[in-house]
């Protein structure tokens, strides 16, 4: 028996809404499990700005430089017309509506008795707003699962049009987004994520944050429909706190602030352009065969494997037979397409040049290795092909053939499998929606067999939504009865550092982990990033991005 659709109420200040909000309403409108059945429109009288004409002129003059810069940047990037263009919901929604026109002078309530009766008759599961507003307490009386709305940005800003602006001006590494619910007179966060901040264009940063976060509400509404209220809010409990924001009220930058922050942005961008004339960024490998280095993580003592300047080496995975075999991603800059190569290394650290062992018509990287039933398999990243592919070694180490496509029609990166309690657990970062950043969310699937046709999605998916430790960074391993999952820290930029997560619970119904160690690229001056680590026997190997002279 099919579950009844969730009944959604929509609260709007105007039927003309920004395109990002229109897009999410359209997704809900076309959903098989969700139904928008009422529109509540606010026509209440707005407070009249009683400022003197001279004060308005002075305010305009104080913010003139920012206004001019913002308009120039919009034309340069062309972003404003896409995401923030006004679209009319009336063309999409032909529904019963309730108009709020009370200015609360005659009564302390926003709604009259007839309106209250009409709203209650709809038995709304959720009321959806574009952002927080003064109606939350009144509206929450009519919604079983509260009032849902977004909070974009890291700062307390005077207008939503500044969300994502100060993050660029102040060069924050990330711009946060939370999906909040006002329920039972409490404000809680049911989802939070973050995106890398654009450090040059404020409107491009706003575009990224608003457009990429538009899918959050539809996903969470579908989860509510699938699990029901109790399980849904129980699952959200780990994020059940309001996102911390700077309490200072940030207003539109004045002329001095505009000159100060914008000039700094472009100065730093200019320095980067000049630096690129003499230096380039390159992924390299570093290794140690010393047991004390392995335990202390003293990466300064690691030996560097420098590629030729026309390519990079990254994502090292190890297999040992009579010697070490290090499988890597090798990418020639002129081809801009990764292939899998192998380096042979003896116990003294002597190594051979990489030799290509697997190449396809699409990009390959992250050559994860797993042995099963006396066979060796590789699970390279094949995001460009929209698949997760398993390759079998038919002649070690140089011949591999495609054994099975585990998942298809999927945008997945850095897939990692671990066998635990007679099940195979597949960890992979996914982008479920177009425009979503693939580094943000880690998904977990499980199966009874490595070659299974059915991989079951874990009920807690996505199991992490924090880009500081979501994306896999190497093989999961056991040490002294505990399980550890290396993960990438993408807070500053993609692949910035490594977080070591201890897996606390791994079952068909529960997943829990905690951070126990962080590795940052801070042991040498030329380091920019490090994002993969693997250990086998006495060999520990990592990759790192360095700034290298041309």
């Amino acid at each position: 028996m099919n579950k009844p659709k969730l009944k959604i109420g929509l609260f709007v200040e105007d039927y003309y809404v920004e395109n990002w909000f229109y897009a999410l309403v359209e997704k809900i409108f076309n959903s098989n499990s969700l139904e928008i059945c009422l529109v509540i429109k606010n026509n209440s009288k707005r407070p009249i700005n009683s400022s003197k004409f001279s004060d308005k002129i002075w305010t305009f003059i104080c913010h003139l430089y920012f206004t001019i810069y913002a308009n120039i940047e919009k034309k340069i990037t062309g972003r404003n017309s896409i995401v923030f263009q006004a679209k009319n919901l009336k063309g999409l929604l032909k529904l019963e509506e309730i108009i709020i026109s009370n200015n609360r002078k005659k009564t302390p309530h926003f709604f009259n008795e007839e309106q209250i009766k009409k709203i209650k008759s709809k038995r709304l599961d959720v009321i959806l707003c574009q952002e927080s507003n003064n109606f939350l307490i009144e509206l929450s009386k009519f919604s079983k699962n509260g009032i849902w709305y977004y909070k974009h940005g890291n700062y307390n800003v005077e207008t939503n049009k500044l969300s994502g602006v100060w993050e660029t001006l102040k060069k924050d590494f990330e711009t946060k987004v939370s999906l909040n619910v006002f329920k039972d007179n409490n404000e809680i966060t049911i989802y939070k994520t973050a995106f890398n901040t654009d450090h040059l264009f404020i409107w491009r940063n706003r575009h990224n944050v608003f457009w990429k976060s538009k899918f959050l509400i539809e996903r969470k509404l579908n989860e509510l429909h699938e699990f029901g209220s109790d399980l849904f809010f129980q699952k959200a409990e780990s994020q059940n706190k309001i996102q911390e924001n700077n309490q200072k009220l940030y207003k539109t930058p004045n002329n001095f602030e505009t000159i100060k922050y914008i000039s700094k942005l472009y100065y730093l961008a200019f320095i980067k352009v000049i630096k690129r004339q003499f230096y380039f960024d390159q992924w390299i490998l570093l290794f140690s065969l010393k047991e004390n280095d392995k335990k202390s993580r003293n990466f300064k003592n690691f030996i560097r494997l420098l590629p030729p300047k026309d390519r990079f080496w990254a994502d090292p995975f190890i297999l040992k037979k009579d010697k070490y075999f290090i499988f890597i991603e090798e990418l020639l800059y002129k081809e801009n397409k990764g292939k899998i190569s192998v380096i042979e290394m003896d116990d003294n650290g002597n190594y051979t040049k990489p030799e290509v062992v697997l190449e396809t018509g699409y990009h390959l990287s992250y050559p994860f290795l797993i042995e099963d039933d006396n066979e060796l398999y590789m699970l390279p990243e094949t995001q460009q092909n929209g698949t997760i592919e398993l390759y079998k070694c038919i002649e070690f180490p140089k011949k591999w053939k495609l054994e099975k496509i585990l998942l298809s029609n999927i945008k997945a990166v850095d897939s990692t499998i671990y066998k635990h309690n007679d099940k195979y657990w597949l960890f992979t970062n996914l982008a479920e929606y177009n425009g979503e950043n693939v580094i943000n969310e880690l998904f977990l699937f499980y199966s009874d067999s490595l070659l299974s046709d059915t991989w079951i999605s874990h009920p807690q998916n996505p199991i992490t939504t924090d880009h500081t430790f979501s994306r896999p960074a190497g093989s999961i391993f056991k040490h002294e009865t505990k399980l550890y999952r290396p993960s990438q820290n993408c807070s500053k930029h993609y692949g910035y550092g490594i977080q070591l997560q201890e897996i606390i619970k791994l079952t068909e119904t529960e997943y829990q982990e905690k951070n126990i160690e962080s590795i940052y690229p801070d042991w040498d001056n030329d380091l920019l990033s490090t994002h993969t680590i693997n250990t086998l026997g006495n060999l520990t190997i990592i990759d790192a991005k360095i700034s290298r002279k041309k």
Side-chain angles (χ1 to χ4, degrees):
M1 181 177 178
N2 293 331
K3 295 180 181 179
K5 292 183 177 182
L6 284 184
K7 295 182 178 181
I8 312 297
L10 188 64
F11 178 88
V12 295
E13 301 281 351
D14 196 312
Y15 275 109
Y16 280 93
V17 297
E18 293 174 339
N19 189 26
W20 70 270
F21 190 74
Y22 181 95
L24 75 86
V25 172
E26 186 176 36
K27 290 281 286 183
I28 295 171
F29 182 77
N30 293 324
S31 171
N32 294 323
S33 57
L34 311 172
E35 176 187 8
I36 300 177
C37 54
L38 180 67
V39 176
I40 304 171
K41 186 175 183 298
N42 178 27
N43 275 5
S44 299
K45 293 181 180 179
R46 311 300 199 273
I48 299 174
N49 189 341
S50 58
S51 301
K52 295 179 180 179
F53 181 73
S54 59
D55 292 338
K56 293 179 181 179
I57 293 295
W58 177 245
T59 300
F60 173 77
I61 293 173
C62 286
H63 302 297
L64 179 62
Y65 289 178
F66 181 79
T67 302
I68 293 173
Y69 173 77
N71 288 329
I72 292 173
E73 192 187 277
K74 287 176 188 178
K75 291 183 178 179
I76 293 174
T77 61
R79 297 283 178 173
N80 195 51
S81 60
I82 300 172
V83 177
F84 303 110
Q85 178 184 6
K87 295 192 74 172
N88 191 354
L89 283 172
K90 278 257 185 179
L92 178 66
L93 305 173
K94 302 184 185 299
L95 303 171
E96 185 175 1
E97 64 180 6
I98 289 178
I99 305 296
I100 305 174
S101 56
N102 187 1
N103 62 9
R104 300 193 87 177
K105 287 185 177 180
K106 298 179 181 179
T107 172
H109 302 291
F110 288 110
F111 304 95
N112 59 42
E113 290 184 6
E114 183 180 347
Q115 290 172 332
I116 291 173
K117 184 177 180 180
K118 186 181 291 187
I119 297 175
K120 285 185 174 180
S121 70
K122 297 297 181 181
R123 300 181 180 274
L124 298 175
D125 293 292
V126 170
I127 295 178
L128 174 62
C129 305
Q130 186 167 341
E131 57 187 270
S132 178
N133 57 66
N134 296 327
F135 295 81
L136 294 181
I137 295 177
E138 288 284 321
L139 287 171
S140 64
K141 298 174 183 177
F142 313 123
S143 172
K144 177 183 176 182
N145 297 289
I147 315 303
W148 293 29
Y149 54 92
Y150 280 112
K151 171 65 177 73
H152 291 92
N154 310 343
Y155 299 100
N156 179 26
V157 291
E158 65 175 347
T159 170
N160 196 39
K161 294 185 181 299
L162 291 176
S163 299
V165 171
W166 280 100
E167 290 78 2
T168 293
L169 295 179
K170 295 173 77 69
K171 292 188 69 65
D172 290 355
F173 293 128
E174 58 187 15
T175 302
K176 300 174 183 177
V177 178
S178 69
L179 178 55
N180 292 347
V181 172
F182 189 87
K183 184 176 182 286
D184 300 328
N185 288 325
N186 289 310
E187 192 177 15
I188 62 175
T189 295
I190 61 171
Y191 188 95
K192 56 187 175 182
T193 187
F195 303 94
N196 293 117
T197 301
D198 189 295
H199 285 164
L200 187 58
F201 293 118
I202 56 177
W203 296 110
R204 189 164 61 189
N205 192 52
R206 277 176 51 77
H207 167 276
N208 291 340
V209 171
F210 279 82
W211 192 249
K212 290 179 179 179
S213 64
K214 69 183 186 298
F215 65 88
L216 300 182
I217 283 182
E218 186 210 6
R219 173 195 283 173
K220 288 300 171 182
L221 286 173
N222 285 329
E223 286 184 16
L224 177 62
H225 179 262
E226 180 179 354
F227 298 120
S229 300
D230 292 341
L231 286 178
F232 175 82
F233 284 102
Q234 183 180 341
K235 179 183 174 183
E237 187 175 351
S238 62
Q239 301 187 72
N240 200 0
K241 62 180 181 179
I242 288 300
Q243 179 179 328
E244 296 179 2
N245 294 296
N246 193 316
Q247 294 304 307
K248 172 186 173 181
L249 181 63
Y250 282 78
K251 300 182 178 181
T252 303
N254 59 38
N255 292 337
F256 172 76
E257 290 172 326
T258 301
I259 293 173
K260 172 186 173 182
Y261 287 112
I262 297 299
S263 60
K264 186 175 181 179
L265 289 179
Y266 281 87
Y267 170 75
L268 293 175
F270 175 74
I271 294 299
K272 287 182 180 179
V273 170
I274 297 300
K275 185 179 178 181
R276 280 201 294 265
Q277 306 305 311
F278 305 97
Y279 292 85
F280 72 105
D281 297 343
Q282 184 184 41
W283 285 98
I284 68 170
L285 305 176
L286 300 93
F287 76 93
S288 174
L289 285 163
K290 297 179 180 179
E291 186 68 19
N292 60 331
D293 286 342
K294 176 181 174 181
K295 291 180 179 179
S296 68
R297 303 293 190 209
N298 186 4
F299 297 107
K300 193 171 184 64
N301 296 328
F302 276 42
I303 299 170
R304 293 189 174 194
L305 299 184
L306 283 176
K309 293 184 177 181
D310 65 342
R311 68 194 66 196
F312 72 65
W313 299 337
D315 296 345
F317 284 83
I318 314 167
L319 188 76
K320 187 175 185 183
K321 291 189 179 289
D322 54 330
K323 51 188 171 182
Y324 294 102
F325 295 85
I326 305 166
F327 292 84
I328 63 170
E329 173 196 354
E330 183 171 27
L331 184 143
L332 274 66
Y333 296 124
K334 66 178 181 180
E335 296 176 355
N336 196 31
K337 180 173 69 71
K339 60 190 78 171
I340 306 303
S341 297
V342 65
I343 297 171
E344 298 179 23
M345 180 180 291
D346 63 24
D347 289 326
N348 296 316
N350 301 308
Y351 58 90
T352 63
K353 290 183 179 180
E355 186 172 351
V356 177
V357 297
L358 183 60
E359 185 173 9
T360 64
Y362 40 89
H363 177 80
L364 299 177
S365 61
Y366 198 81
F368 172 80
L369 301 169
I370 182 170
E371 293 184 274
D372 189 59
D373 288 337
N374 297 317
E375 300 287 356
L376 176 64
Y377 297 92
M378 181 191 296
L379 197 73
E381 179 193 306
T382 52
Q383 177 197 183
Q384 200 174 84
N385 198 41
T387 53
I388 297 179
E389 300 176 1
L390 187 70
Y391 287 80
K392 181 179 179 180
C393 185
I394 56 175
E395 186 179 317
F396 185 81
K398 299 178 182 178
K399 288 189 178 181
W400 301 77
K401 71 169 185 176
L402 178 62
E403 183 71 9
K404 193 173 189 64
I405 295 178
L406 301 186
L407 294 170
S408 58
N409 299 317
I410 194 170
K411 187 177 180 183
V413 296
D414 297 350
S415 299
T416 304
I417 296 177
Y418 186 76
K419 188 176 182 181
H420 177 67
N421 290 342
D422 295 324
K423 289 196 180 297
Y424 295 81
W425 303 89
L426 169 61
F427 296 76
T428 188
N429 265 62
L430 297 183
E432 284 193 294
Y433 296 81
N434 289 333
E436 184 186 357
N437 196 328
V438 77
I439 70 174
N440 285 336
E441 297 184 334
L442 179 65
F443 286 73
L444 178 61
F445 301 85
Y446 62 89
S447 175
D448 292 326
S449 167
L450 180 62
L451 301 177
S452 173
D453 293 320
T454 303
W455 288 84
I456 301 171
S457 178
H458 196 278
Q460 284 185 217
N461 277 333
I463 57 173
T464 73
T465 60
D466 190 326
H467 68 323
T468 62
F469 55 81
S470 287
R471 189 164 177 165
S475 296
I476 295 170
F477 62 94
K478 180 177 283 189
H479 178 66
E480 296 180 351
T481 74
K482 293 183 178 181
L483 282 181
Y484 297 94
R485 183 181 72 85
S487 64
Q488 293 187 35
N489 180 344
C490 297
S491 57
K492 289 189 177 183
H493 51 256
Y494 160 70
Y496 165 65
I498 297 172
Q499 304 277 74
L500 197 59
Q501 306 293 113
E502 180 186 344
I503 297 176
I504 309 298
K505 290 183 180 179
L506 178 57
T507 71
E508 296 171 45
T509 56
E510 291 184 280
Y511 182 82
Q512 185 181 348
E513 63 178 29
K514 67 177 181 180
N515 176 251
I516 62 164
E517 185 178 355
S518 300
I519 300 170
Y520 301 108
D522 56 5
W523 62 89
D524 275 321
N525 292 332
D526 62 345
L527 292 176
L528 304 172
S529 307
T530 177
H531 77 351
T532 308
I533 182 169
N534 278 295
T535 297
L536 185 64
N538 290 329
L539 176 63
T540 297
I541 189 162
I542 65 173
D543 58 10
K545 183 190 283 186
I546 63 170
S547 180
R548 190 176 178 187
K549 285 185 178 181
K550 287 187 176 180

